[in-house]
mmCIF file with all atom_site columns, all heavy atoms in Angstrom:
data_model
loop_
_atom_site.group_PDB
_atom_site.id
_atom_site.type_symbol
_atom_site.label_atom_id
_atom_site.label_alt_id
_atom_site.label_comp_id
_atom_site.label_asym_id
_atom_site.label_entity_id
_atom_site.label_seq_id
_atom_site.pdbx_PDB_ins_code
_atom_site.Cartn_x
_atom_site.Cartn_y
_atom_site.Cartn_z
_atom_site.occupancy
_atom_site.B_iso_or_equiv
_atom_site.pdbx_formal_charge
_atom_site.auth_seq_id
_atom_site.auth_comp_id
_atom_site.auth_asym_id
_atom_site.auth_atom_id
_atom_site.pdbx_PDB_model_num
ATOM 1  N N   . ILE A 1 103 ? -2.753 18.136 -4.142 1.00 0.00 ? 103 ILE A N   1
ATOM 2  C CA  . ILE A 1 103 ? -3.029 19.461 -3.581 1.00 0.00 ? 103 ILE A CA  1
ATOM 3  C C   . ILE A 1 103 ? -1.797 20.019 -2.871 1.00 0.00 ? 103 ILE A C   1
ATOM 4  O O   . ILE A 1 103 ? -1.247 19.374 -1.974 1.00 0.00 ? 103 ILE A O   1
ATOM 5  C CB  . ILE A 1 103 ? -4.208 19.375 -2.582 1.00 0.00 ? 103 ILE A CB  1
ATOM 6  C CG1 . ILE A 1 103 ? -5.446 18.814 -3.279 1.00 0.00 ? 103 ILE A CG1 1
ATOM 7  C CG2 . ILE A 1 103 ? -4.487 20.740 -1.961 1.00 0.00 ? 103 ILE A CG2 1
ATOM 8  C CD1 . ILE A 1 103 ? -6.465 18.242 -2.315 1.00 0.00 ? 103 ILE A CD1 1
ATOM 9  N N   . LYS A 1 104 ? -1.397 21.223 -3.286 1.00 0.00 ? 104 LYS A N   1
ATOM 10 C CA  . LYS A 1 104 ? -0.289 21.900 -2.598 1.00 0.00 ? 104 LYS A CA  1
ATOM 11 C C   . LYS A 1 104 ? -0.845 22.689 -1.407 1.00 0.00 ? 104 LYS A C   1
ATOM 12 O O   . LYS A 1 104 ? -1.803 23.442 -1.543 1.00 0.00 ? 104 LYS A O   1
ATOM 13 C CB  . LYS A 1 104 ? 0.442  22.847 -3.538 1.00 0.00 ? 104 LYS A CB  1
ATOM 14 C CG  . LYS A 1 104 ? 1.618  23.570 -2.882 1.00 0.00 ? 104 LYS A CG  1
ATOM 15 C CD  . LYS A 1 104 ? 2.177  24.677 -3.759 1.00 0.00 ? 104 LYS A CD  1
ATOM 16 C CE  . LYS A 1 104 ? 2.941  24.131 -4.925 1.00 0.00 ? 104 LYS A CE  1
ATOM 17 N NZ  . LYS A 1 104 ? 3.643  25.220 -5.681 1.00 0.00 ? 104 LYS A NZ  1
ATOM 18 N N   . ASP A 1 105 ? -0.227 22.481 -0.245 1.00 0.00 ? 105 ASP A N   1
ATOM 19 C CA  . ASP A 1 105 ? -0.618 23.198 0.963  1.00 0.00 ? 105 ASP A CA  1
ATOM 20 C C   . ASP A 1 105 ? 0.643  23.832 1.547  1.00 0.00 ? 105 ASP A C   1
ATOM 21 O O   . ASP A 1 105 ? 1.530  23.137 2.056  1.00 0.00 ? 105 ASP A O   1
ATOM 22 C CB  . ASP A 1 105 ? -1.255 22.234 1.966  1.00 0.00 ? 105 ASP A CB  1
ATOM 23 C CG  . ASP A 1 105 ? -1.811 22.950 3.195  1.00 0.00 ? 105 ASP A CG  1
ATOM 24 O OD1 . ASP A 1 105 ? -1.337 24.056 3.518  1.00 0.00 ? 105 ASP A OD1 1
ATOM 25 O OD2 . ASP A 1 105 ? -2.714 22.382 3.856  1.00 0.00 ? 105 ASP A OD2 1
ATOM 26 N N   . LYS A 1 106 ? 0.739  25.156 1.473  1.00 0.00 ? 106 LYS A N   1
ATOM 27 C CA  . LYS A 1 106 ? 1.944  25.871 1.920  1.00 0.00 ? 106 LYS A CA  1
ATOM 28 C C   . LYS A 1 106 ? 2.145  25.795 3.433  1.00 0.00 ? 106 LYS A C   1
ATOM 29 O O   . LYS A 1 106 ? 3.229  26.112 3.916  1.00 0.00 ? 106 LYS A O   1
ATOM 30 C CB  . LYS A 1 106 ? 1.874  27.324 1.466  1.00 0.00 ? 106 LYS A CB  1
ATOM 31 C CG  . LYS A 1 106 ? 1.937  27.500 -0.045 1.00 0.00 ? 106 LYS A CG  1
ATOM 32 C CD  . LYS A 1 106 ? 1.930  28.966 -0.438 1.00 0.00 ? 106 LYS A CD  1
ATOM 33 C CE  . LYS A 1 106 ? 2.040  29.126 -1.945 1.00 0.00 ? 106 LYS A CE  1
ATOM 34 N NZ  . LYS A 1 106 ? 2.057  30.551 -2.366 1.00 0.00 ? 106 LYS A NZ  1
ATOM 35 N N   . THR A 1 107 ? 1.118  25.380 4.158  1.00 0.00 ? 107 THR A N   1
ATOM 36 C CA  . THR A 1 107 ? 1.237  25.295 5.616  1.00 0.00 ? 107 THR A CA  1
ATOM 37 C C   . THR A 1 107 ? 1.775  23.940 6.075  1.00 0.00 ? 107 THR A C   1
ATOM 38 O O   . THR A 1 107 ? 2.010  23.739 7.271  1.00 0.00 ? 107 THR A O   1
ATOM 39 C CB  . THR A 1 107 ? -0.123 25.542 6.294  1.00 0.00 ? 107 THR A CB  1
ATOM 40 O OG1 . THR A 1 107 ? -1.006 24.434 6.018  1.00 0.00 ? 107 THR A OG1 1
ATOM 41 C CG2 . THR A 1 107 ? -0.754 26.823 5.804  1.00 0.00 ? 107 THR A CG2 1
ATOM 42 N N   . ARG A 1 108 ? 1.939  23.011 5.131  1.00 0.00 ? 108 ARG A N   1
ATOM 43 C CA  . ARG A 1 108 ? 2.377  21.662 5.495  1.00 0.00 ? 108 ARG A CA  1
ATOM 44 C C   . ARG A 1 108 ? 3.693  21.299 4.820  1.00 0.00 ? 108 ARG A C   1
ATOM 45 O O   . ARG A 1 108 ? 4.011  21.805 3.746  1.00 0.00 ? 108 ARG A O   1
ATOM 46 C CB  . ARG A 1 108 ? 1.306  20.621 5.116  1.00 0.00 ? 108 ARG A CB  1
ATOM 47 C CG  . ARG A 1 108 ? -0.041 20.879 5.753  1.00 0.00 ? 108 ARG A CG  1
ATOM 48 C CD  . ARG A 1 108 ? -1.043 19.812 5.375  1.00 0.00 ? 108 ARG A CD  1
ATOM 49 N NE  . ARG A 1 108 ? -0.813 18.559 6.080  1.00 0.00 ? 108 ARG A NE  1
ATOM 50 C CZ  . ARG A 1 108 ? -1.246 18.306 7.303  1.00 0.00 ? 108 ARG A CZ  1
ATOM 51 N NH1 . ARG A 1 108 ? -1.932 19.226 7.972  1.00 0.00 ? 108 ARG A NH1 1
ATOM 52 N NH2 . ARG A 1 108 ? -1.004 17.137 7.873  1.00 0.00 ? 108 ARG A NH2 1
ATOM 53 N N   . LYS A 1 109 ? 4.438  20.422 5.465  1.00 0.00 ? 109 LYS A N   1
ATOM 54 C CA  . LYS A 1 109 ? 5.642  19.871 4.861  1.00 0.00 ? 109 LYS A CA  1
ATOM 55 C C   . LYS A 1 109 ? 5.266  18.666 3.993  1.00 0.00 ? 109 LYS A C   1
ATOM 56 O O   . LYS A 1 109 ? 4.287  17.965 4.287  1.00 0.00 ? 109 LYS A O   1
ATOM 57 C CB  . LYS A 1 109 ? 6.620  19.407 5.952  1.00 0.00 ? 109 LYS A CB  1
ATOM 58 C CG  . LYS A 1 109 ? 7.107  20.497 6.876  1.00 0.00 ? 109 LYS A CG  1
ATOM 59 C CD  . LYS A 1 109 ? 7.965  19.888 7.985  1.00 0.00 ? 109 LYS A CD  1
ATOM 60 C CE  . LYS A 1 109 ? 8.399  20.953 8.981  1.00 0.00 ? 109 LYS A CE  1
ATOM 61 N NZ  . LYS A 1 109 ? 9.159  20.355 10.109 1.00 0.00 ? 109 LYS A NZ  1
ATOM 62 N N   . THR A 1 110 ? 6.028  18.454 2.953  1.00 0.00 ? 110 THR A N   1
ATOM 63 C CA  . THR A 1 110 ? 5.888  17.210 2.209  1.00 0.00 ? 110 THR A CA  1
ATOM 64 C C   . THR A 1 110 ? 6.444  16.092 3.086  1.00 0.00 ? 110 THR A C   1
ATOM 65 O O   . THR A 1 110 ? 7.595  16.155 3.531  1.00 0.00 ? 110 THR A O   1
ATOM 66 C CB  . THR A 1 110 ? 6.679  17.266 0.889  1.00 0.00 ? 110 THR A CB  1
ATOM 67 O OG1 . THR A 1 110 ? 6.212  18.371 0.121  1.00 0.00 ? 110 THR A OG1 1
ATOM 68 C CG2 . THR A 1 110 ? 6.529  15.974 0.110  1.00 0.00 ? 110 THR A CG2 1
ATOM 69 N N   . THR A 1 111 ? 5.625  15.086 3.359  1.00 0.00 ? 111 THR A N   1
ATOM 70 C CA  . THR A 1 111 ? 6.066  14.002 4.231  1.00 0.00 ? 111 THR A CA  1
ATOM 71 C C   . THR A 1 111 ? 7.261  13.289 3.597  1.00 0.00 ? 111 THR A C   1
ATOM 72 O O   . THR A 1 111 ? 7.168  12.718 2.512  1.00 0.00 ? 111 THR A O   1
ATOM 73 C CB  . THR A 1 111 ? 4.929  12.997 4.471  1.00 0.00 ? 111 THR A CB  1
ATOM 74 O OG1 . THR A 1 111 ? 3.829  13.684 5.085  1.00 0.00 ? 111 THR A OG1 1
ATOM 75 C CG2 . THR A 1 111 ? 5.396  11.877 5.381  1.00 0.00 ? 111 THR A CG2 1
#
Side-chain angles (χ1 to χ4, degrees):
I103 302 160
K104 181 190 287 188
D105 186 336
K106 294 183 178 181
T107 69
R108 303 181 75 83
K109 299 175 183 176
T110 302
T111 300

